[in-house]
Every structure is written in C-alpha cells, then in structure tokens.
Amino acid sequence: MAKENNSPLPLRLKQARKAKDISQKELGIRLGMEPGTASARMNQYEQGKHTPDYTTLKRMADELGVPVAYFFCSSEKSARLVCLLESLSDSEKDTLIDMLLTGSQK
C-alpha cells in the first residue's frame, strides 16, 4: 500500500519554483546539488517521496524568496498571508499585532 503524503510542502515547493520560472535542475544546482542528480532530487521533493531537512528547506526558501512557513500552509490564503507578513518590517508587524489584538477585544 502506497504511503499517503498530506503535506502541503510538495505543492508549495513546486508553486514557488514555477513562480521564479526556474527548472528543478536549476534550483537544485543553486542549492549546491550535483548537476547530474539535481533534477531528480528536486523531483523527489516535489512528488512528496522525500522531505528535505530544515537546512535544505531554509536554503530553498531563501532561493525562492519565500519564508519557510510558506511550505507548510495548507491553504492558498494562508500561504499568501505568510509571504505578506514576512515582507513587513518589525515595526509594521508590531502595529499589525496591536491592531489585531485590539480588534479582537471589541
């Protein structure tokens, strides 16, 4: 019986890579993988057959311009919000937190 993978990581990885318009091989090479195996390794991640360790995942996120948390968002809206939040300055994040906390107390 095949193992079912419900992780959003494979889909998010593929979406982020395609948004940057780079191939699996190119991404793998940028991450320091051997050119001969880069495409196959990235394909294994995008198919959910293997899961990258945190260090590799962080390097992927940095290369693709998304926060690591993006890979674990189960909905499109959550993924978009995580990216938007990451683009805010610390001051803007503090303001947003204050606004959300104040709004929830009404």
Side-chain angles (χ1 to χ4, degrees):
M1 184 172 195
K3 183 176 126 184
E4 187 175 332
N5 185 345
N6 292 322
S7 171
L9 192 149
L11 172 65
R12 296 277 170 244
L13 175 57
K14 186 174 185 175
Q15 286 175 333
R17 179 183 59 77
K18 287 189 170 229
K20 288 290 185 183
D21 196 30
I22 59 175
S23 68
Q24 290 176 335
K25 182 175 183 173
E26 184 178 346
L27 178 57
I29 291 170
R30 288 183 186 187
L31 297 172
M33 296 174 189
E34 292 294 322
T37 60
S39 180
R41 284 186 60 192
M42 292 307 304
N43 185 269
Q44 297 277 313
Y45 294 144
E46 287 186 11
Q47 296 299 317
K49 293 178 182 172
H50 294 288
T51 302
D53 61 28
Y54 181 81
T55 302
T56 302
L57 197 57
K58 174 69 172 123
R59 289 186 7 240
M60 288 177 183
D62 291 345
E63 190 64 43
L64 296 170
V66 297
V68 173
Y70 168 85
F71 294 121
F72 299 99
C73 293
S74 58
S75 75
E76 294 298 322
K77 286 184 181 182
S78 293
R80 186 165 179 221
L81 277 170
V82 163
C83 290
L84 289 170
L85 286 171
E86 191 64 25
S87 70
L88 298 176
S89 68
D90 283 346
S91 174
E92 291 170 322
K93 288 175 186 173
D94 289 338
T95 300
L96 181 58
I97 290 167
D98 290 343
M99 286 173 41
L100 291 170
L101 289 175
T102 301
S104 69
Q105 295 173 359
K106 290 183 180 180

